[in-house]
């Protein structure tokens, strides 16, 4: 009897210990690299002895899909990523909890954009801009000028010198794509992305593949979220970053998952991110993200961008997160069909047009100019209108996100994408053919 009682007490103690360990673990799914998450994990665990921050790494789109698929058996407390439209998707799906978070000194907006969700389901902890990162040694060796605007990257001299990640696999890249679409308009914005893509040497699967390529000198220019360029520069790589006129200043966010196993611990981590210590951690040379607390900039390195300054990105657009969220999958699908999976076809068409334009500039042949103009229209043509991109009955067709390269698309979305693909292939083929004819005149 005594032995049985002892065993029972031991089992109860083990169960209690296990429950306490579970309660003291905060699990966060995030798209951020370890260079960012590790310093926060260390600082948070030091500030809260006995608490463990467990980090699950997934790109933004994969994280959203994971949370949608596991809602009935949720084992995650927090979602932590840069893309506010991804949080809007989660919010619309009822996957985020409304919680009270204590934070001092953080304003309501940054660059005219709300820092926190008005309903209290997600919170901005850092600000982000989107720009062009470049390798200073590379551009000197290749005698290339610094590209300061998106339009610069469309020029022939940048052919083969640009890298970008696929927006379907990177929430930050999706924001960059959407920023240009909103800032320049649907038709002109897509034309900009196509001409830039025609100059690309790669479309990477992960967002950090771009700064890695620029850091190593594998490419000269990379389209990135700003902290990639700022962190690489602070770490001693021969790189720099510029903000084009058309950019957006939006918060990177964190949100507590509905029915989180450890909601109290999750709130503690959010409050830590927004505390003076958490904001100071953002200035770690490996992180270099823009704090949302203006007071943090007193300790920022010399020359560090300050989004609360009047001189910071004066042309930044008023980013429409609702519009971005509504057509999130559509924009990603359209980019993949027209660019990611048809990059070689697009590059061939753009290269042919560039050569034809160079020849026509010397010959002055009027017929060649007509053929080139027709070829350019074919490259820029779109299979859908801006009105369709805003029509819920159409955008809701796109339910599958290619968070992984082998993701299969089925049903109506697959039918639409097949039509888009045929459209792109034929247009790029015709454009190349016309440009080659023009070059001979």
């Amino acid at each position: 009897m005594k032995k049985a009682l002892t065993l029972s007490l031991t089992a109860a103690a083990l169960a209690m210990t296990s429950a306490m360990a579970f309660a003291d673990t905060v699990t966060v799914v995030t798209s951020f690299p370890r260079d960012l998450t590790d310093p926060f994990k260390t600082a948070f665990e030091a500030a809260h002895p006995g608490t463990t921050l467990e980090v699950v790494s997934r790109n933004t789109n994969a994280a959203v899909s994971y949370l949608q698929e596991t809602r009935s058996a949720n084992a995650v407390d927090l979602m932590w990523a840069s893309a506010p439209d991804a949080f809007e998707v989660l919010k619309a799906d009822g996957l985020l909890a409304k919680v009270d978070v204590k934070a001092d000194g953080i304003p309501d907006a940054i660059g005219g954009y709300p820092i926190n969700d008005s309903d209290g389901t997600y919170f901005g902890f850092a600000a982000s801009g989107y720009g062009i990162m470049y390798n200073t040694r590379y551009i000197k060796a290749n005698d290339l000028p610094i590209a300061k605007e998106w339009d610069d990257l469309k020029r022939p001299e940048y052919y083969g010198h640009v890298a970008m990640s696929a927006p379907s696999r990177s929430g930050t890249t999706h924001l960059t794509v959407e920023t240009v679409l909103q800032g320049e308009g649907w038709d002109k914005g897509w034309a900009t992305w196509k001409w830039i893509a025609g100059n690309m040497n790669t479309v990477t699967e992960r967002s950090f593949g771009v700064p890695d390529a620029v850091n190593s000198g594998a490419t000269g220019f990379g389209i990135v979220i700003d902290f990639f360029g700022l962190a690489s520069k602070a770490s001693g790589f021969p790189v720099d970053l510029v903000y084009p006129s058309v950019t957006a200043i939006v918060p990177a966010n964190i949100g507590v998952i509905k029915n989180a196993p450890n909601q109290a611990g999750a709130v503690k981590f959010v409050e830590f991110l927004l505390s003076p210590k958490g904001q100071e951690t953002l200035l770690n040379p490996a992180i270099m993200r823009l704090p949302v607390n203006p007071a943090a900039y007193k300790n920022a390195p010399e020359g560090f961008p300050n989004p609360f300054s009047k001189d910071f990105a004066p042309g930044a657009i008023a980013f429409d997160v609702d519009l971005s969220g509504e057509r999130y999958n559509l924009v990603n699908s359209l980019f993949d069909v027209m660019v990611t999976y048809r990059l070689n076809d697009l590059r061939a068409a753009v290269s042919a047009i560039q050569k034809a334009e160079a020849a026509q500039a010397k010959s002055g042949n009027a017929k060649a100019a007509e053929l080139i103009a027709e070829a350019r229209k074919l490259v820029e043509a779109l299979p859908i209108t801006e009105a369709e991109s805003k029509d819920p009955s159409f955008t809701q067709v796109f339910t599958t996100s290619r968070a992984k390269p082998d993701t299969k698309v089925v049903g109506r979305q697959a039918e639409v994408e097949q039509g888009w693909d045929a459209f792109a292939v034929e247009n790029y083929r015709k454009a190349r053919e016309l440009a080659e004819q023009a070059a001979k005149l």
Side-chain angles (χ1 to χ4, degrees), residues 62-96:
V64 170
S65 297
Y66 172 74
L67 291 171
Q68 290 171 331
E69 293 165 2
T70 60
R71 68 166 69 221
S72 60
N74 183 34
V76 174
D77 300 304
L78 292 158
M79 168 71 170
W80 193 18
S82 289
D85 42 9
F87 284 84
E88 281 295 307
V89 171
L90 293 174
K91 179 182 174 181
D93 283 351
L95 288 167
L96 296 178

Side-chain angles (χ1 to χ4, degrees), residues 148-213:
K148 298 180 179 180
E149 300 287 350
W150 301 120
D151 278 354
D152 291 340
L153 292 179
K154 294 156 58 175
R155 301 206 307 259
E157 59 261 45
Y158 295 103
Y159 186 84
H161 299 297
V162 185
M164 180 179 177
S165 57
S168 59
R169 295 170 208 156
S170 166
T172 56
T173 304
H174 171 87
L175 283 179
T176 311
V177 170
E178 183 66 59
T179 292
V180 174
L181 296 181
Q182 291 187 23
E184 296 188 352
W186 182 258
D187 293 325
K188 187 176 185 298
W190 275 117
T192 292
W193 283 123
K194 286 187 180 183
W195 291 113
I196 292 175
N199 281 338
M200 290 180 192
N201 54 22
T202 185
V203 175
T204 66
E205 291 185 6
R206 296 297 300 270
S207 55
F208 49 76
V210 177
D212 285 350

Side-chain angles (χ1 to χ4, degrees), residues 8 10 29 80 98 124 143 145 158 160 189 212 256 284 294 330 366 406 417:
S8 296
T10 301
V29 61
W80 193 18
K98 183 176 181 179
D143 194 25
Y158 295 103
D212 285 350
V256 178
N284 182 308
L330 180 149
D406 58 352
E417 290 188 9

Side-chain angles (χ1 to χ4, degrees), residues 135-145:
N135 185 302
T136 55
R137 294 175 185 169
Y138 183 105
I139 65 172
K140 184 176 181 180
N142 288 275
D143 194 25
L144 293 169

